[in-house]
Amino acid sequence: MTAMANRRSNNSGTWLLLAYAIASLVAVLSGAATMVLTGIPAIRWSLTLAAWGVGALLAYGIVKARPRGMAWPVIAIGGAVTVAATLAGPDQLGVHRWLAIGPVFVNAAAVALPAVIVALARMGQSARLAQAVALGVAAILALQPDASQAWGFAFACLAWLLPDRAPSIAVQAVVLTALAIIATLSPDPLMPVLEVEQIVSLALSVHPALAALAVAALATLPLIIWRLGSGGRASRALALYGAAISIAPAFGWFPVPLVGAGMSFPLGLWIGVALLAQGGGSVSPGPDGLFRDRDA
């Protein structure tokens, strides 16, 4: 029975990776085509395509490594530290969302949060460490501020918190929502960048079919993650995150994931999907406080 279950899990993971690869590549290529046809410098769309390719290679390595057990708390904490490092990193008009890697700036939350979300869901709502990390990351996103990432992360956490109706869980859900509201109401003086936040409008100016293709690809991705993921909390959490950050640009000047120019979303989403695809079970603390594997 165990061998059969493993084969089913592997098949599900393979289909998830294949479907995600197709849909995400369509999204990236539609954005690249838009930039080419509107005269955006090649460095903008070529880096996005390169990041998609690097993300695919990282995903292959993650699937082969099959992280499990204590890897989940390590991934969650490591991702949280990465996002926290932005507060000491370079800012733009007082907004802290980026880490500098040489001449390249990456959005730390876009890179790290998909992995953090899967890891926290694997740890489960019963893990106090998972709850603490979730609140810490939400607070950092409010301080940056980054409203789209804050709402995406809040919805993702609610996916694995709310099945537990304990009063403490309800309080945490309220706090996560409040922090997302704070991020939304915090001043954000940055002006939109045409090929980042306004890429769908730019595609529409080229041809309605190109804009429709981009939107359709983005709409498909959360469905792929939800339906073809390993099931349970982790699939729901990552799917809700993907849906939230894809819908956010309709309500304000937020980056359009994958379609817009940038390396961060292609890298981060590939990593999150790969962690989801390889399964590996989840962990929860036993009576002695140690984390042990359990099914997700």
Side-chain angles (χ1 to χ4, degrees), residues 166-191:
S168 62
I169 297 298
V171 170
Q172 182 159 4
V174 170
V175 173
L176 286 168
T177 304
L179 288 169
I181 293 172
I182 290 172
T184 305
L185 297 178
S186 297
D188 184 352
L190 298 179
M191 296 300 294

Side-chain angles (χ1 to χ4, degrees), residues 9 45 59 86 114 129 133 141 151 155-156 164 201 245 282 285 288:
S9 177
W45 55 263
T86 60
L129 178 59
V133 171
L141 295 172
W151 281 110
F155 283 126
D164 189 328
S201 297
I245 61 173
S282 59
D288 54 4

Side-chain angles (χ1 to χ4, degrees), residues 179-205:
L179 288 169
I181 293 172
I182 290 172
T184 305
L185 297 178
S186 297
D188 184 352
L190 298 179
M191 296 300 294
V193 177
L194 188 62
E195 66 271 24
V196 179
E197 288 89 357
Q198 296 176 302
I199 188 68
V200 175
S201 297
L202 195 61
L204 187 62
S205 71

